Amino acid sequence: MILYLWSRRNRNVLMHVFGFLPLKAPYLIWFFLFFSATFGHPLLPDIIGLAIGHLYYFFVDVFPKLPLSKNKRLLKTPRFFRWICKTCGMQGDNQDYQDLLDVNDFDE
């Protein structure tokens, strides 16, 4: 799931797998799925991770930008996690992280 999110958010990054095979980030997940299948690992956990990663990516990054959504987010960071981050001073200055943690609207 984490690799899927990273690859979707960093589409133009060129990775060198094993130091010599260049792949763009969106194809990296498919390479690892193929690699797992080649060595006989079960594919179901990887496919479930891809599906969950895709759903999370859609609801967090794609859906809020659609005109139909009216900029509404369906998935929000839980309040206790926002409280922990605010209490421990882990808010950071990066706007992307503040948006993900919803730190600015903690005092709702």
Side-chain angles (χ1 to χ4, degrees):
M1 180 179 138
I2 300 294
L3 181 61
Y4 183 85
L5 288 174
W6 178 85
S7 68
R8 296 292 291 197
R9 291 178 178 169
N10 298 288
R11 293 175 182 256
N12 296 323
V13 173
L14 186 65
M15 300 292 298
H16 290 277
V17 180
F18 304 124
F20 65 89
L21 181 64
L23 286 174
K24 283 206 165 209
Y27 301 111
L28 191 62
I29 54 173
W30 300 110
F31 171 79
F32 281 118
L33 187 66
F34 173 76
F35 194 70
S36 293
T38 303
F39 286 102
H41 294 275
L43 296 179
L44 188 60
D46 292 335
I47 292 172
I48 291 171
L50 287 174
I52 291 172
H54 181 72
L55 287 172
Y56 183 83
Y57 173 75
F58 177 78
F59 285 124
V60 171
D61 290 346
V62 176
F63 183 76
K65 296 175 185 172
L66 295 175
L68 178 66
S69 72
K70 299 177 184 169
N71 206 18
K72 188 173 187 177
R73 294 179 59 190
L74 296 178
L75 294 177
K76 286 192 171 188
T77 307
R79 258 188 193 287
F80 74 91
F81 191 74
R82 291 186 281 165
W83 177 79
I84 289 171
C85 290
K86 187 174 182 179
T87 303
C88 296
M90 298 182 339
Q91 296 176 27
D93 295 330
N94 189 334
Q95 185 61 38
D96 292 335
Y97 293 115
Q98 288 180 2
D99 291 343
L100 287 175
L101 291 175
D102 297 322
V103 173
N104 294 333
D105 63 355
F106 177 73
D107 300 321
E108 297 176 342

